[in-house]
Amino acid sequence: MSSTHEVRPGQSIELLKELHILTRDGKMNQDSRRKLKQVYHLFQFIEPLLREVKDAKDVVSLVDHGAGKSYLGFILYDLFFKDLKDISHIYGIETREELVTSSTALAERLGFPGMSFLNLSVADSITSPALPETIDVVTALHACNTATDDAIHFALAKRAQHIVLVPCCQAEVASVLRKHKGRLLAGNPMTEIWRHPLHTREFGSQLTNVLRCLQLEAHGYQVSVTELVGWEHSMKNELIIAQYKDLPRRRPAERLQQVLESVGLEELGERFFTSATATPT
């Protein structure tokens, strides 16, 4: 049975075959069906942000960090950017050179001129001359550990209007919690929350995202956190959407500092820098 009824109107069947979501005869297996459902679900969140930028300034730029095989980038381009017929652009940032090469070739094959792929780390992309000074929308889906924070730093440096994050395995905060656990256990009963190793990991993951939200708020963003429906196979189904509204920064900056101090994470102040402190180079 054909699976084209599950494909959005206007979606290129040829693209879905190139991405191996559809087989050559238009069929779809369970894994591909789930992958497509996930990307479409994300598209529902991102499309209104793209429209808002387009209405405000006519041309849209988007950077996708940790792009992988660029499923999201290609589908965003096919369903939104392709019809704009202007100089709007998607940049895919990926550390694996072979994926950059294959995505570049695929964009050429499909006739998607407004797509570029760069073989860079997220951190290096902040200063790379290959990217414009400002970017409208920044996405980072399952950028592992501190790569999500680097994507936030990139978005802040590029004065992004919208930031869409699906955080992934994050170990840095948990390792710092672990390091200071002994010192804090005696004086702070709240330390019981992360006394056991499993709880350290899970609390560290939760706390990391709380700090990220506070950091974004401390730079004037309005932040919403929701769950990605249809990602049941993955524990990492948290979606953080930040929109720049020039909101008051002082209270979230103070709160962030208080949280760091209360759980012994002062040494991470530079990673979760606020607008009151300098952006790290």
Side-chain angles (χ1 to χ4, degrees):
M1 188 183 76
S2 169
S3 299
T4 50
H5 67 283
E6 298 175 58
V7 174
R8 286 179 69 113
Q11 178 83 76
S12 161
I13 299 301
E14 201 47 49
L15 168 65
L16 295 182
K17 287 178 179 178
E18 290 278 8
L19 293 174
H20 305 296
I21 288 173
L22 288 178
T23 61
R24 285 289 152 206
D25 56 355
K27 302 258 181 14
M28 199 186 296
N29 65 28
Q30 199 56 43
D31 186 52
S32 296
R33 187 172 281 114
R34 187 175 65 222
K35 196 169 286 177
L36 189 63
K37 184 181 167 191
Q38 289 174 355
V39 175
Y40 280 168
H41 187 62
L42 263 172
F43 179 75
Q44 288 178 311
F45 286 101
I46 297 170
E47 185 191 24
L49 309 180
L50 296 171
R51 286 207 184 284
E52 188 181 310
V53 174
K54 174 68 179 165
D55 292 344
K57 55 177 283 196
D58 212 37
V59 173
V60 189
S61 58
L62 180 142
V63 165
D64 183 22
H65 280 298
K69 293 178 180 175
S70 290
Y71 288 103
L72 178 66
F74 278 112
I75 285 175
L76 282 172
Y77 194 91
D78 193 38
L79 292 179
F80 185 85
F81 284 75
K82 188 174 67 179
D83 294 333
L84 299 181
K85 298 190 168 42
D86 59 19
I87 58 166
S88 293
H89 208 90
I90 291 179
Y91 300 87
I93 310 291
E94 173 56 51
T95 55
R96 288 165 288 183
E97 192 173 1
E98 68 277 10
L99 294 182
V100 172
T101 302
S102 61
S103 293
T104 301
L106 178 54
E108 285 175 12
R109 209 154 57 237
L110 293 164
F112 287 2
M115 292 192 85
S116 304
F117 301 92
L118 301 170
N119 182 208
L120 293 168
S121 70
V122 184
D124 287 342
S125 70
I126 295 171
T127 54
S128 170
L131 289 156
E133 278 188 29
T134 60
I135 293 291
D136 300 310
V137 183
V138 173
T139 61
L141 313 178
H142 296 141
C144 260
N145 201 15
T146 58
T148 298
D149 300 299
D150 292 336
I152 290 172
H153 297 176
F154 173 91
L156 295 175
K158 298 294 185 181
R159 302 191 291 284
Q161 202 60 39
H162 304 285
I163 306 168
V164 179
L165 306 169
V166 179
C168 194
C169 46
Q170 40 225 22
E172 186 186 35
V173 166
S175 72
V176 179
L177 285 172
R178 207 172 287 119
K179 185 166 72 174
H180 299 305
K181 195 187 296 184
R183 173 171 62 82
L184 291 169
L185 264 172
N188 183 357
M190 294 302 287
T191 314
E192 293 295 334
I193 292 170
W194 69 94
R195 176 161 62 95
H196 296 285
L198 177 65
H199 295 160
T200 306
R201 192 182 73 210
E202 297 201 353
F203 177 64
S205 182
Q206 170 92 348
L207 184 57
T208 303
N209 289 339
V210 168
L211 292 167
R212 287 166 175 161
C213 292
L214 283 169
Q215 180 184 28
L216 288 163
E217 288 172 347
H219 283 86
Y221 286 81
Q222 181 182 74
V223 178
S224 63
V225 183
T226 188
E227 194 174 34
L228 272 172
V229 181
W231 293 52
E232 295 86 357
H233 71 292
S234 169
M235 292 295 286
K236 310 296 180 190
N237 64 344
E238 188 171 333
L239 175 67
I240 299 171
I241 299 177
Q243 303 184 66
Y244 185 73
K245 303 283 188 184
D246 198 17
L247 297 175
R249 296 154 165 76
R250 188 170 63 85
R251 183 170 168 76
E254 287 172 353
R255 274 293 164 101
L256 192 153
Q257 196 54 42
Q258 288 163 354
V259 171
L260 290 174
E261 288 168 5
S262 66
V263 292
L265 294 177
E266 295 92 334
E267 69 192 70
L268 294 180
E270 189 178 329
R271 176 160 291 285
F272 299 103
F273 64 92
T274 65
S275 56
T277 57
T279 306
T281 52

